[in-house]
Amino acid sequence: MAKGKVGTAVGSLGDYLREQRTAASLSLRQLAEQAGVSNPYLSQIERGLRKPSAEVLQQIAKALRISAEQLYVRAGIVSPEDGIGSSVELAVLNDARLTERQKQSLLDIHASFLALNAGQPQADPALPDTQD
């Protein structure tokens, strides 16, 4: 592998991961252990020397308790322009005013509402709403 950064997306991913790891008060070794990856590999990801797979990103996201989709976007694996996710999800993920924990909470609530509504027939907008 050539020396230097793999790409700006990966570099920003590394910076973002380091930020999230520090905010979670985890050492590099602790996060590597929780994510099931080696300590040197995680260090290389944070320094922008390696581009992790979607599976590794998912493991890291789970260990950090953040959105895997956000990591996918930051790693350049998916693009918001690809139509991945709804406009609500993308708006939440792209809102820099929210913390990652707040973003995940909003996405979880949104997903639960969608799941709840998927199991129920849609209300006719012409009829008055009698539920409270």
Side-chain angles (χ1 to χ4, degrees), residues 116-124 131:
L116 180 68
N117 291 344
Q120 297 178 353
Q122 291 293 325
D124 184 347
Q131 296 178 350

Side-chain angles (χ1 to χ4, degrees), residues 9 17 23-24 29 32 34 40 43 67 74-75 86 97-99 102 106 111 115 120 125 132:
L17 284 176
R29 190 174 309 275
Q34 289 180 17
S43 174
S67 164
R74 288 188 182 264
S86 73
R97 299 169 294 177
L98 299 173
T99 67
Q102 290 169 333
L106 285 171
Q120 297 178 353
D132 284 342

Side-chain angles (χ1 to χ4, degrees), residues 9-20:
V10 177
S12 65
L13 170 68
D15 294 339
Y16 179 74
L17 284 176
R18 185 177 303 109
E19 220 174 78
Q20 294 303 309

Side-chain angles (χ1 to χ4, degrees), residues 17-60:
L17 284 176
R18 185 177 303 109
E19 220 174 78
Q20 294 303 309
R21 177 177 58 79
T22 318
S25 301
L26 291 172
S27 70
L28 191 68
R29 190 174 309 275
Q30 289 170 322
L31 178 57
E33 185 178 310
Q34 289 180 17
V37 298
S38 73
N39 188 37
Y41 182 61
L42 183 58
S43 174
Q44 290 173 347
I45 294 170
E46 283 193 0
R47 291 182 289 140
L49 300 175
R50 291 284 186 119
K51 183 175 181 180
S53 67
E55 183 178 322
V56 169
L57 287 175
Q58 186 174 29
Q59 291 169 232
I60 293 170

